[in-house]
Amino acid sequence: LSLLFCTIHPFLAVKSQPMLSASFDFTWLCFFAAIRCSIAALAAQPQACSKPRYGPGLTNVTIFSGGLNRTVTLYTPYVASSGNNLIPPTLPAPLVVNWHGCNKHHPLIDYHMEISKVVDAARDRTSMLMPWYAIVPLGTPATFGGNWGWNTVYHEIPCGQPGVNDEEFAEAILDFAASELCVNTSRIYTAGFSAGAFLSYGIACKHGNRIAGVGANAGLLARGSLDSCRTAGSPVPIQSFHSLADPTVPYAGNFAWESQDAVDAMWRARNGCTGASREGPIVTFSFSTTRCLRWLCPGAPVETCTVGPDKKVPVGLDHCWIGGRSGGFPNCRPRHGDIDATAHMMDFWDQLAGVTALPQPQIAFV
């Protein structure tokens, strides 16, 4: 209120001379109000903005959760200081937490960063003066097959060490980001592939008030979980990317997993869509292999990107991060016409936040 009066009081003061003394007093009031607001703004920022613990680049960090020391790889962006040195952000920046799949491609974090390109995308945005943090957590070893992964929220894929609670680990990561990084807590996103996409959905189901958006590649939810998720909390912006020919996590689901169509319909219902024509869908991407449809639900948008076959891969893409690197799998090589899921979801998140960004190429190229 003081600042509002500061805006109008000069105009009031010129109406009559007797108000000049009052104008002088209010000038000091404005001065002190501005100082108080500046102090409050600084106090509202995480302490890590002024006293960063992690320098720019990649760092392995240990986070204690559920009685275990868990590992994440942290990418800290940079800004240029007045001396033209590269330092961590001094203003809160967005964060994406990127969950790997259930596999034994060691070193696993390196493999997932390679195929998903999420850390690369954070670097690219940072180089355009739009800093992004990225965290890539490491799962725990399953009891079979030499795989490492997650115990997902709705127990669709038990690919972690028995008894480990990865929902609790996700909460610990969010707490770490809020207290130890210069992160904008209203702009924390989660992305994942395969089991990591199952986990991303589950985190959004249970903790939607802490998540600003989800990008799920080749993931679903357990049969019987949709009613629970639909009523579990606040709306969450959702994007799904899925090959119609995925043999590992079938688009149509199976005896244990709901179909992608059913999962997306649940998110539309949770986000307030009623089927009204004004809600869409609108086509946000259409090319030779990929079609993306977005519903403008009152609570938050929901987007579905489906990827089909072409002459080069007539059977369609395998179980892949869409538009990512192949990871050595021939049927995951991106084709001209496949959407670059990473660029698409991060552009979408920037748009939701009202950030004007240089759009990244969203068509994947070999």
Side-chain angles (χ1 to χ4, degrees):
L1 290 175
S2 299
L3 288 180
L4 175 60
F5 195 87
C6 291
T7 303
I8 64 173
H9 97 273
F11 300 99
L12 298 177
V14 299
K15 294 296 184 182
S16 63
Q17 290 299 321
M19 290 193 67
L20 289 178
S21 177
S23 176
F24 177 79
D25 292 338
F26 280 122
T27 299
W28 281 103
L29 173 63
C30 295
F31 175 73
F32 288 116
I35 291 176
R36 288 178 62 190
C37 288
S38 298
I39 293 172
L42 290 172
Q45 293 184 7
Q47 188 178 27
C49 293
S50 57
K51 297 181 179 179
R53 290 190 57 188
Y54 303 97
L58 294 175
T59 309
N60 286 335
V61 177
T62 298
I63 296 176
F64 189 74
S65 173
L68 298 174
N69 286 320
R70 305 293 300 271
T71 299
V72 305
T73 292
L74 165 69
Y75 169 72
T76 301
Y78 59 83
V79 295
S81 69
S82 57
N84 214 27
N85 297 315
L86 299 183
I87 61 172
T90 55
L91 295 174
L95 162 69
V96 54
V97 183
N98 185 20
W99 305 88
H100 64 71
C102 174
N103 60 65
K104 49 190 172 185
H105 299 290
H106 298 296
L108 186 48
I109 286 182
D110 290 352
Y111 175 80
H112 186 62
M113 287 194 297
E114 171 74 13
I115 66 168
S116 69
K117 306 189 299 185
V118 167
V119 171
D120 291 344
R123 285 195 188 105
D124 290 344
R125 277 168 161 70
T126 297
S127 70
M128 294 187 295
L129 307 181
M130 297 176 56
W132 271 76
Y133 285 89
I135 289 177
V136 186
L138 178 65
T140 54
T143 55
F144 58 89
N147 292 313
W148 285 58
W150 316 106
N151 295 317
T152 54
V153 173
Y154 291 107
H155 314 294
E156 300 97 343
I157 302 178
C159 190
Q161 180 178 319
V164 170
N165 187 330
D166 285 312
E167 180 184 351
E168 186 178 289
F169 181 35
E171 291 183 89
I173 290 173
L174 297 179
D175 292 340
F176 163 80
S179 62
E180 303 294 331
L181 305 177
C182 187
V183 160
N184 181 344
T185 54
S186 68
R187 293 201 64 196
I188 296 179
Y189 307 90
T190 181
F193 171 63
S194 189
F198 281 82
L199 183 58
S200 290
Y201 278 143
I203 293 166
C205 287
K206 295 289 190 70
H207 306 282
N209 61 317
R210 302 187 71 180
I211 300 297
V214 173
N217 268 268
L220 298 171
L221 281 167
R223 288 196 177 275
S225 68
L226 299 190
D227 285 342
S228 171
C229 182
R230 179 169 46 246
T231 59
S234 55
V236 185
I238 298 290
Q239 290 173 294
S240 65
F241 304 88
H242 214 135
S243 168
L244 295 171
D246 189 328
T248 306
V249 180
Y251 187 94
N254 58 22
F255 69 94
W257 305 330
E258 297 281 2
S259 70
Q260 186 69 68
D261 287 343
V263 171
D264 292 340
M266 179 277 294
W267 284 114
R268 294 197 297 272
R270 172 165 165 158
N271 290 356
C273 267
T274 61
S277 58
R278 65 180 178 276
E279 297 166 351
I282 60 173
V283 178
T284 56
F285 185 95
S286 183
F287 214 70
S288 56
T289 65
T290 309
R291 184 175 173 83
C292 296
L293 300 177
R294 185 177 297 168
W295 283 261
L296 305 178
C297 301
V302 177
E303 184 172 40
T304 303
C305 293
T306 54
V307 183
D310 72 349
K311 292 180 180 179
K312 186 175 181 180
V313 185
V315 296
L317 287 183
D318 207 305
H319 186 55
C320 313
W321 184 287
I322 305 301
R325 300 187 183 96
S326 70
F329 292 90
N331 278 358
C332 281
R333 289 197 188 105
R335 308 158 298 175
H336 186 66
D338 292 346
I339 192 168
D340 184 330
T342 303
H344 189 69
M345 67 189 184
M346 294 184 77
D347 281 350
F348 175 58
W349 295 338
D350 279 336
Q351 291 164 12
L352 285 177
V355 174
T356 302
L358 292 174
Q360 301 299 297
Q362 294 187 359
I363 299 176
F365 293 91
V366 177

